[in-house]
Amino acid sequence: MKILKRIYILLQADERRKSIKVAATVLLTSLIDFVGLAALLPVLYFLLEETGKRETALIFGGIAITVILIKCLFTTLLTRYQNKCLMSFYKRISFSLFSSHYDKGLLFIRKHGASKLGYEITDMCYAFSHNLLFPLCRMSADVILIILVTVALVVWNGVTVVLLYMAFIPFMILYVYGVKKRVRECGRDDMRVKKEQMRLVSDAMRGYVKLEVNGVFPSLQRTFLEGIDRISDNRVKLDTLLRLPLFLSELSVVVGLVVLVVVGDGDVAMQVGVFAVAALRLLPALRNILASWTQIQNTLCYVDVIEAGLSDDDNGVKEQEQTITFEKEIRVEGISYTYPDGHRVFENMDFSILKGEYVGVCGRSGGGKSTLFNILSTLLKPSEGYVKIDGVPLSDANRASWIKQIAYVPQEVFIFAGTLAENIALGSSDIDRDKINEIICRVGLDTWVKTLEYGINTPLNEMGCELSGGQKQRIGIARALYKEARVLLMDESTSALDDDSEREINRTLYSIKEKDKNLTILSIAHRRSSLEYCDRIITI
C-alpha cells in the first residue's frame, strides 16, 4: 500500500482521476477472465459424466470458444487503454523531471552532470512506467482473478480450497522473503552502474582529442568493461530470480493436486478436473504475481530519484511576468557572489554600462569574470547586491523580458545536430531565411557558405567538429543578430583563436557596432590587446 500512496502523490489531479478508470479496467479485465474460465466448467462436467453426453459437451464447448474469443477481444481493448494511460503518465513525469532539472539552474546541472540527469529523465522515467506501473496493473488483475476463483471454489468445496492454499502459501512466502532484499540491492546497483556508464561514454566522446593524445582511453575501456560486467551480473541474478516463480508455482500446483487426491472425498475426479481447469489460469496468474512483484522491487529505487527530482517543483503562485526596458544603463550595485562550496569570487562590486557602449572586462583567471556574466544573464543570482536595468532590479518576474534582450557568446559556441540555418535561428520554429542570409554577410560567413553544397541548409554535426573556431564564433554572433539582442556578452570568445582570427572577429564586432550605435557589447578577455576596440575596460 505504501508504494501505491507514493505513486498517487506523484500523479496530478487529472491523472488521479484517470488512475481510477485504470483501476476499473483492471477489475473488469479480471471479471472477464473469470467468465472465460467459468465457461470451461460445463464442458468438463458433461465430459466427466458417466452417461457421456458428448453432444451436450460439444455445444457447451462451442459456447466456451465464443466466450473466450469475446474475452480476448475485450481484454485486448482494455489492456490497450491501460497501456495508453500508463504511457501518458510516463510522458508527463519525464517532461516534468526534464523541466524541473532544467529550471534548477546552472549550478545544479554542473553539480550533477548532463549524462546523469539525462539518464534520470529518459531511462529511469521509462523504467518507472514500464517496470513498475505495468507490472502493478498486471499483478492487481491477477490478484483479483485469484480471489474470484478462490471465492467460487470455496462456495463449491471450501475444505478443498483450504487444503490447496496450504500447499500454495508456503512457497509464496518463501519466495517473497527470500529474494526481496537481493532484488532491491540488484536494482540499486544496476541504476548506479548505468549512470556511471553513460557519464563515462559521454566524457570519452567529448574529450576524445585529449584522451587520445594522453593515452588515457585504455584505462576508460577497463572501467567500462567492469561496468558491463556488473550490469551483466545484475541481469543474470534478476533473470534467475524471475524464473523462480515458474518453478515454485508449478511445484505448488503439483503438491496441491497430490494433497487433493490424498484427502479429497466424494467425486475426486470432478474435484481434480475443476482444479485442473482453475490451475490452467491460476498457474500463470500466480507466476505473474511473483514475477511482477520482483520487477516492482527492482524498480522501487527509481521512485526515490523521481520523487527527489520533482520535490522542489514550485507549486506556489508564480509572480506575474513584468517587462523591463533598457534605454539608459546597466548598473551593477554592490554585488558579491559566493559559490555553494564557500568560494567567494568578488565582493561589493560597483560599475555602470551605458547603452551603446563597447566595454571590455579583464582580470586574472578565477577572478569572477564569467561569474559576472552569468549574473548579468540571470543564470546566477548575486549573493548580495543588485543588477539594475534603468534603475529596475533584475528579478524572477522580469527575467524572461531581460533574456529576450541579451545574447551570450561563450568561448566554445554550442553547435547542435541541425542545419546551419537552424543553428543560427536557435529555437525559432519559423526561420526567416532572407534574414539569415543578410546576417551571414554581416558576420563574414558568406564566402564560406557559398562553398557549401546546400548553403544555409547544410547539416552540421553535433558540437560542430567540422567547423573552425572562427566559424563557430561567427555563428554565435550571427545568433545574437538574428535574435536582435540589444546586449551582447562575449565571454572570452576569441581566447582559443589564433591572432589573425581574433583580429578578424574583433573587426567584425566593431563593424557591427558601428552600424548599430544602440548595441551594447561587453567582452571578456585575458589580454588587453584583445580589447583594443573597446570604449573602456573594467578590471576585476
Side-chain angles (χ1 to χ4, degrees):
M1 293 303 294
K2 185 177 178 181
I3 183 61
L4 293 177
K5 182 179 179 181
R6 293 174 68 186
I7 293 172
Y8 187 78
I9 292 172
L10 285 174
L11 301 180
Q12 295 179 340
D14 61 323
E15 292 172 335
R16 291 171 182 173
R17 290 190 292 270
K18 190 181 291 184
S19 68
I20 296 174
K21 295 180 181 179
V22 171
T25 62
V26 169
L27 175 60
L28 188 56
T29 300
S30 301
L31 290 172
I32 293 173
D33 271 342
F34 179 71
V35 171
L37 187 62
L40 295 175
L41 296 179
V43 181
L44 176 66
Y45 173 78
F46 285 108
L47 285 176
L48 293 176
E49 278 285 292
E50 293 181 4
T51 53
K53 299 178 181 178
R54 293 184 177 275
E55 296 81 3
T56 307
L58 286 174
I59 293 172
F60 278 100
I63 294 173
I65 291 173
T66 304
V67 169
I68 291 173
L69 288 175
I70 295 173
K71 182 206 78 167
C72 290
L73 175 62
F74 277 97
T75 301
T76 301
L77 293 175
L78 292 172
T79 304
R80 179 180 172 84
Y81 175 78
Q82 293 169 15
N83 292 344
K84 288 180 68 175
C85 290
L86 296 181
M87 291 310 295
S88 73
F89 297 161
Y90 151 70
K91 177 181 176 181
R92 201 275 305 167
I93 289 175
S94 182
F95 179 79
S96 296
L97 197 61
F98 177 42
S99 303
S100 176
H101 283 346
Y102 187 86
D103 289 342
K104 287 174 184 174
L106 182 63
L107 293 180
F108 176 83
I109 294 171
R110 284 179 176 175
K111 177 182 178 181
H112 294 276
S115 58
K116 174 180 175 292
L117 297 179
Y119 175 73
E120 291 179 3
I121 292 165
T122 54
D123 291 50
M124 291 184 64
C125 287
Y126 182 80
F128 168 76
S129 177
H130 189 266
N131 296 340
L132 195 151
L133 298 184
F134 278 68
L136 195 59
C137 279
R138 288 197 301 267
M139 187 170 71
S140 300
D142 288 325
V143 167
I144 294 171
L145 177 63
I146 288 177
I147 292 173
L148 291 173
V149 173
T150 300
V151 170
L153 291 176
V154 166
V155 172
W156 178 65
N157 191 326
V159 176
T160 302
V161 174
V162 172
L163 292 173
L164 292 176
Y165 274 88
M166 286 177 63
F168 283 3
I169 292 175
F171 290 110
M172 294 183 67
I173 294 175
L174 176 67
Y175 178 79
V176 169
Y177 286 96
V179 306
K180 182 177 181 179
K181 185 176 179 181
R182 293 182 182 180
V183 170
R184 288 193 177 183
E185 289 176 352
C186 183
R188 290 193 185 97
D189 189 57
D190 195 59
M191 178 182 70
R192 286 193 296 267
V193 177
K194 285 179 178 177
K195 285 183 180 179
E196 185 61 25
Q197 292 290 87
M198 287 194 68
R199 184 199 62 77
L200 190 148
V201 171
S202 177
D203 289 347
M205 300 307 170
R206 188 170 58 248
Y208 172 81
V209 174
K210 293 180 181 178
L211 295 176
E212 185 67 15
V213 170
N214 290 282
V216 179
F217 188 61
S219 66
L220 294 184
Q221 286 179 307
R222 288 192 294 273
T223 304
F224 186 77
L225 281 174
E226 290 172 2
I228 291 177
D229 288 340
R230 285 175 62 187
I231 292 173
S232 301
D233 289 343
N234 287 332
R235 187 70 252 178
V236 170
K237 290 177 184 176
L238 185 61
D239 285 344
T240 302
L241 294 174
L242 287 173
R243 287 190 63 82
L244 283 178
L246 174 62
F247 165 72
L248 292 176
S249 59
E250 290 177 348
L251 184 61
S252 63
V253 169
V254 173
V255 171
L257 284 172
V258 172
V259 171
L260 183 61
V261 171
V262 171
V263 303
D265 55 3
D267 191 351
V268 176
M270 188 63 186
Q271 292 177 0
V272 171
V274 170
F275 179 73
V277 171
L280 179 69
R281 189 63 186 86
L282 288 179
L283 186 63
L286 184 61
R287 183 168 64 245
N288 288 340
I289 288 172
L290 294 178
S292 296
W293 179 88
T294 304
Q295 271 193 304
I296 291 169
Q297 294 300 314
N298 187 58
T299 315
L300 278 179
C301 53
Y302 292 3
V303 181
D304 299 334
V305 176
I306 293 172
E307 284 176 336
L310 298 178
S311 62
D312 295 330
D313 278 356
D314 183 11
N315 296 320
V317 178
K318 294 186 177 181
E319 294 184 66
Q320 185 176 359
E321 287 192 9
Q322 299 173 0
T323 301
I324 193 169
T325 57
F326 175 41
E327 299 296 338
K328 297 178 181 178
E329 68 170 359
I330 300 171
R331 174 67 184 165
V332 173
E333 194 172 283
I335 68 168
S336 303
Y337 189 79
T338 304
Y339 280 96
D341 61 2
H343 175 57
R344 199 171 182 87
V345 287
F346 48 72
E347 187 172 4
N348 199 29
M349 183 184 295
D350 284 280
F351 63 84
S352 294
I353 300 166
L354 300 178
K355 181 178 181 179
E357 277 194 301
Y358 190 161
V359 178
V361 180
C362 68
R364 62 178 178 81
S365 296
K369 301 184 297 297
S370 294
T371 301
L372 172 63
F373 270 33
N374 286 331
I375 290 174
L376 291 173
S377 56
T378 71
L379 298 176
L380 297 176
K381 292 182 179 180
S383 304
E384 300 169 15
Y386 302 93
V387 176
K388 295 182 177 180
I389 312 300
D390 291 352
V392 179
L394 286 178
S395 65
D396 291 337
N398 57 36
R399 180 177 185 268
S401 176
W402 174 241
I403 286 177
K404 292 177 182 177
Q405 303 178 61
I406 66 173
Y408 196 165
V409 182
Q411 180 178 341
E412 185 62 38
V413 174
F414 167 63
I415 303 294
F416 62 88
T419 66
L420 175 59
E422 289 169 341
N423 269 274
I424 292 175
L426 193 62
S428 176
S429 57
D430 186 15
I431 299 175
D432 187 339
R433 300 184 181 279
D434 292 334
K435 184 178 179 180
I436 285 180
N437 284 319
E438 185 267 327
I439 289 172
I440 282 174
C441 293
R442 290 178 63 186
V443 299
L445 285 173
D446 50 323
T447 302
W448 169 64
V449 170
K450 288 177 182 177
T451 66
L452 302 177
E453 182 178 0
Y454 301 107
I456 62 174
N457 296 316
T458 299
L460 304 180
N461 292 328
E462 185 180 0
M463 304 301 293
C465 54
E466 77 275 30
L467 303 175
S468 68
Q471 288 168 338
K472 290 181 182 180
Q473 291 303 320
R474 292 178 189 276
I475 290 174
I477 297 169
R479 282 176 180 165
L481 297 179
Y482 187 87
K483 184 181 179 181
E484 298 181 359
R486 306 318 305 145
V487 179
L488 181 56
L489 304 175
M490 304 288 294
D491 189 357
E492 299 191 67
S493 54
T494 61
S495 62
L497 305 180
D498 59 79
D499 292 342
D500 290 339
S501 297
E502 183 182 41
R503 280 193 291 271
E504 288 177 8
I505 294 295
N506 285 332
R507 279 196 293 266
T508 298
L509 281 172
Y510 182 74
S511 174
I512 292 170
K513 181 71 184 65
E514 284 296 296
K515 292 179 181 178
D516 187 354
K517 298 294 184 181
N518 289 322
L519 177 64
T520 304
I521 301 178
L522 279 75
S523 181
I524 290 177
H526 282 296
R527 302 185 300 270
R528 284 183 173 267
S529 59
S530 303
L531 304 173
E532 58 182 317
Y533 291 105
C534 295
D535 299 326
R536 60 191 176 94
I537 298 174
I538 297 173
T539 302
I540 298 180

